[in-house]
Amino acid sequence: AQSVTQLDSQVPVFEEAPVELRCNYSSSVSVYLFWYVQYPNQGLQLLLKYLSGSTLVKGINGFEAEFNKSQTSFHLRKPSVHISDTAEYFCAVTPPGYGGSQGNLIFGKGTKLSVKP
Amino acid sequence: KAGVTQTPRYLIKTRGQQVTLSCSPISGHRSVSWYQQTPGQGLQFLFEYFSETQRNKGNFPGRFSGRQFSNSRSEMNVSTLELGDSALYLCASSLSPTSSDTQYFGPGTRLTVL
């Protein structure tokens, strides 16, 4: 069974500083990996996804993530954050294939990023 | 192109009642998934529909049910509401159930059970 661990529930950071949000997954099979962002009172928006190929994935809003198979990690990074990046970020996995055998996306508990001026 | 639409956005019910939530997917999307989001349990998968068929179901009691119509619109129903059913219910649509197809989420329906 797959599971996702987001190591930090809250990450405070000052504006223009770099940030890394950590995500580790557990799976006996290969998986697809996703990062979603949720702004207050809104649904989830896809930031980026890793399906295959280059382990460095670039997403929207200047975010990128690196897939590390040996460490089963998919950490999200941004070199310089803005106040508008304040939101909750979710890492998710799903097994490759048609619909997956365990349903759909399996999410981590989320990391609340708070960007201070 | 319009995004995923969920109605109603907010709902207040009392214990024992039932509720129906609606989701209209992005035009052309035939796969719809539902998730429950609570502070304690986080985001949990409820069910997935494709071409009017339930393909997958999460670990929820039988009080939670759903269906998908021929136009891909989906509804979920919760009967005999409990306080613990208070949550944000999110609907997501994608072109197909293929895992590589991105799921696009709606704004959610906030259900409060009193």
Side-chain angles (χ1 to χ4, degrees):
Chain A
Q2 289 90 25
S3 66
V4 178
T5 302
Q6 291 184 243
L7 298 161
D8 305 296
S9 59
Q10 297 189 55
V11 173
V13 64
F14 287 105
E15 194 174 19
E16 298 184 5
V19 70
E20 179 180 81
L21 306 183
R22 297 179 292 168
C23 172
N24 285 88
Y25 67 93
S26 172
S27 177
S28 59
V29 299
S30 60
V31 294
Y32 293 158
L33 296 149
F34 305 80
W35 274 100
Y36 282 86
V37 60
Q38 185 176 35
Y39 299 101
N41 299 314
Q42 294 187 28
L44 278 70
Q45 180 183 9
L46 180 70
L47 280 175
L48 48 80
K49 63 183 178 182
Y50 173 79
L51 304 181
S52 64
S54 173
T55 57
L56 184 62
V57 182
K58 294 192 182 296
I60 62 171
N61 301 342
F63 284 94
E64 63 180 32
E66 185 155 19
F67 169 59
N68 188 318
K69 187 175 181 179
S70 62
Q71 297 187 8
T72 59
S73 68
F74 190 55
H75 300 334
L76 182 70
R77 302 187 184 99
K78 187 169 183 178
S80 176
V81 295
H82 304 288
I83 298 288
S84 59
D85 292 322
T86 295
E88 191 161 16
Y89 293 77
F90 292 91
C91 182
V93 305
T94 189
Y98 191 65
S101 60
Q102 296 188 26
N104 233 282
L105 292 169
I106 299 166
F107 286 91
K109 293 291 189 183
T111 297
K112 291 184 179 177
L113 174 64
S114 175
V115 182
K116 305 177 187 302
Chain B
K1 188 183 273 191
V4 178
T5 304
Q6 292 188 246
T7 55
R9 290 292 312 275
Y10 301 91
L11 207 48
I12 300 176
K13 292 286 187 179
T14 56
R15 280 183 299 174
Q17 286 187 309
Q18 74 166 19
V19 66
T20 299
L21 312 181
S22 180
C23 171
S24 293
I26 292 172
S27 178
H29 285 193
R30 296 168 59 199
S31 182
V32 173
S33 295
W34 288 89
Y35 296 85
Q36 181 195 64
Q37 185 177 24
T38 59
Q41 299 299 317
L43 281 153
Q44 293 184 283
F45 169 73
L46 277 159
F47 12 69
E48 176 193 24
Y49 289 90
F50 178 67
S51 295
E52 302 179 65
T53 300
Q54 186 180 92
R55 289 185 46 82
N56 286 299
K57 190 177 192 301
N59 189 24
F60 279 84
R63 301 184 297 107
F64 291 81
S65 63
R67 59 178 176 171
Q68 186 181 33
F69 302 96
S70 59
N71 61 358
S72 295
R73 191 177 68 85
S74 177
E75 289 181 347
M76 67 163 282
N77 183 278
V78 188
S79 63
T80 319
L81 284 166
E82 301 177 358
L83 295 178
D85 297 332
S86 293
L88 181 66
Y89 290 88
L90 293 165
C91 167
S93 76
S94 58
L95 286 169
S96 79
T98 304
S99 298
S100 57
D101 281 347
T102 297
Q103 291 189 42
Y104 295 89
F105 284 79
T109 293
R110 173 77 62 186
L111 171 64
T112 301
V113 182
L114 302 176

